[in-house]
Amino acid sequence: MIEQRKPAPPSFLVPVPLAGAHVALEPLSPDHVPGLIEAVKDGELWNTWYTRIPSPDGMAHEVEARLARQAAGSVVPWAIRRTDTGALCGMTTYLNVRAENRRLEIGSTWLAASAQRTPINTEAKLLLLTRAFEDLDCIAVEFRTHWHNHQSRAAIARLGAKQDGVLRNHEIWRDGTLRDTVVFSIIKSEWPTVRLALASRLARS
């Protein structure tokens, strides 16, 4: 019997819209800049020293840079819109896309202060993970964060990701300090349980 091969997955680099009850992920475009400027002002997020969140003045450049990296074939960026108010509330991105190994990273994510500790991040991650594992047939999805970003580390762990390790002195940070990068991942065999847990959390929200 000849084994039938699965059809090739859609391109990893096609930015498709993703939508749920609480959030819509829209393929990033320059049209999002004004709304993202207002979103990043909510909490003055760019002042957090252990993150790389763009300032209002730097937002247009950040959007341009992410779109340039998308055109180069390494990332897929989205703007995050909350469905209750219709306002933009952040950004997220598929990073380090390696279609040949069916792996990618979810990162460069930020949310306005008013969108944090709401169902928005949980549902956004559920949408991104569903596309990665079920549409793109990924074997692993990675998350990375600064060692000192304890809020991010806790949020990643709550998704069901497991810590793989710490890359010591991984990057020279913008102020000259050295960043230790904490690496987490979810692998394909874990996805059904992770999906159930995230769906259950959303149902209770």
Side-chain angles (χ1 to χ4, degrees), residues 133-189:
F133 284 114
E134 298 182 15
D135 296 341
L136 303 177
D137 196 27
C138 283
I139 60 173
V141 173
E142 195 173 284
F143 303 85
R144 298 186 176 205
T145 193
H146 197 297
W147 172 265
H148 287 280
N149 194 342
H150 298 289
Q151 181 179 341
S152 176
R153 289 168 60 184
I156 293 169
R158 284 196 299 271
L159 294 173
K162 294 181 173 62
Q163 184 173 316
D164 295 322
V166 181
L167 303 176
R168 307 291 303 279
N169 284 1
H170 183 228
E171 293 181 281
I172 300 175
W173 212 235
R174 58 190 174 191
D175 59 1
T177 60
L178 298 175
R179 165 174 151 152
D180 291 346
T181 299
V182 189
V183 183
F184 296 79
S185 68
I186 298 169
I187 60 175
K188 187 173 183 178
S189 61

Side-chain angles (χ1 to χ4, degrees), residues 59-75:
M59 188 63 67
H61 174 75
E62 177 66 17
V63 169
E64 181 182 346
R66 293 197 194 196
L67 292 175
R69 292 174 65 193
Q70 178 185 323
S74 63
V75 309

Side-chain angles (χ1 to χ4, degrees), residues 75-89:
V75 309
V76 182
W78 285 270
I80 305 172
R81 188 181 300 277
R82 55 189 307 160
T83 59
D84 54 356
T85 66
L88 291 174
C89 62

